[in-house]
Amino acid sequence: VGRMRAIDGTRRFTSPTGKVILTNPYVENPDSPVKVENFPKVDVILVADGHADEVGSAAEIAVKTGAKIVSTWEMWYAWFQPRNVPMGQILRSNPGDWNKIDGVTIRNVNSVHGSGTPDKLDGGEAMGFIVHFENGFTVYFAGSTALTMDMRIWGSVYKPDVAILPLSGDRDPQDIVHMVRFLQTDNPNLKTIIPHHHRLKPPQGAPTPADMEAALKAARVPVRVLSPELSKVYELTR
């Protein structure tokens, strides 16, 4: 029902009708093998907060491709306007809002996280996103959020098929277990979990996708963990 390609920390989704949606456009990250010019077509970029690992090269990619950016009013003033992104490309919105883009619906949801920009300006509210593709396939991109019981609501109401959840170096894989359980509330659709914010070779003591998978298996949570290989294309189906 759709394709996903992993490019460094970035996830590039191609919808059934060919719309390209980016999360984590962080091509400056130390594991990145690509540059801005490696993104010839992008329709939408989801910017969860103002931190470098979320805003990344969103401005440069948007200027190059004409992509729409879903972000906050504060990010427009603090970050994208000074980088010459046209106002018409910024879908300025907040948690609770939605945007409908050529058959793809993107809902903004809460994120328990900060949103200061790399140059110490206010990025507004941190967010996550529920992406409903044209055929109903649904992806929850959590951004950098901590565990929150709001995920029960999102599971019950939006019923994501895939969840992209944060596994940065200071996160407990058990929190992921609870996130998945919450997202499965009244939701039999959630079958695939994709970690993000981890290094390809995590430093000693940092959680790994294998740790996440082991924690979910020990808790008897029936999902698969997909840790994408760089540049490999994955078909995502129900």
Side-chain angles (χ1 to χ4, degrees):
V1 298
R3 287 179 288 124
M4 182 194 73
R5 185 178 182 187
I7 311 174
D8 60 80
T10 303
R11 305 288 183 254
R12 179 167 65 185
F13 290 89
T14 303
S15 80
T17 62
K19 298 298 177 187
V20 177
I21 299 173
L22 293 187
T23 70
N24 296 114
Y26 184 34
V27 301
E28 301 95 342
N29 104 51
D31 294 333
S32 174
V34 298
K35 304 297 180 186
V36 170
E37 53 266 26
N38 296 118
F39 295 86
K41 171 181 165 56
V42 179
D43 295 291
V44 183
I45 306 171
L46 304 181
V47 176
D49 59 61
H51 294 174
D53 57 358
E54 293 287 3
V55 68
S57 297
E60 293 82 357
I61 294 171
V63 168
K64 176 179 179 294
T65 64
K68 302 286 188 182
I69 296 174
V70 182
S71 189
T72 62
W73 281 92
E74 290 86 354
M75 283 297 292
W76 156 246
Y77 290 119
W79 191 258
F80 294 116
Q81 185 182 40
R83 286 160 179 78
N84 300 314
V85 180
M87 180 181 282
Q89 288 178 231
I90 308 297
L91 302 178
R92 299 172 300 281
S93 49
N94 294 292
D97 295 339
W98 68 357
N99 289 280
K100 295 185 175 182
I101 306 167
D102 297 328
V104 178
T105 299
I106 300 168
R107 299 175 182 272
N108 303 351
V109 296
N110 303 334
S111 173
V112 183
H113 197 64
S115 189
T117 67
D119 48 6
K120 302 180 181 179
L121 298 176
D122 177 17
E125 295 290 330
M127 297 191 291
F129 303 95
I130 308 285
V131 183
H132 302 276
F133 291 99
E134 303 93 327
N135 56 4
F137 191 79
T138 301
V139 174
Y140 167 48
F141 170 51
S144 297
T145 190
L147 176 66
T148 170
M149 289 184 70
D150 288 347
M151 292 176 176
R152 290 184 173 181
I153 299 173
W154 305 330
S156 179
V157 175
Y158 303 128
K159 301 188 184 330
D161 300 281
V162 173
I164 305 174
L165 303 177
L167 190 70
S168 50
D170 51 1
R171 295 296 177 95
D172 183 347
Q174 285 299 324
D175 282 0
I176 302 295
V177 172
H178 295 302
M179 287 182 182
V180 174
R181 284 175 168 158
F182 287 172
L183 291 166
Q184 288 182 326
T185 301
D186 300 324
N187 176 26
N189 298 346
L190 184 61
K191 297 294 191 297
T192 302
I193 306 302
I194 301 172
H196 78 124
H197 279 342
H198 58 286
R199 297 293 305 275
L200 291 180
K201 295 181 179 180
Q204 186 174 3
T208 67
D211 294 331
M212 174 193 286
E213 187 169 19
L216 288 163
K217 185 175 180 180
R220 298 183 180 180
V221 179
V223 291
R224 70 162 177 160
V225 173
L226 174 60
S227 184
E229 298 177 24
L230 290 184
S231 298
K232 184 175 179 179
V233 176
Y234 295 85
E235 297 286 338
L236 298 178
T237 61
R238 284 185 166 140

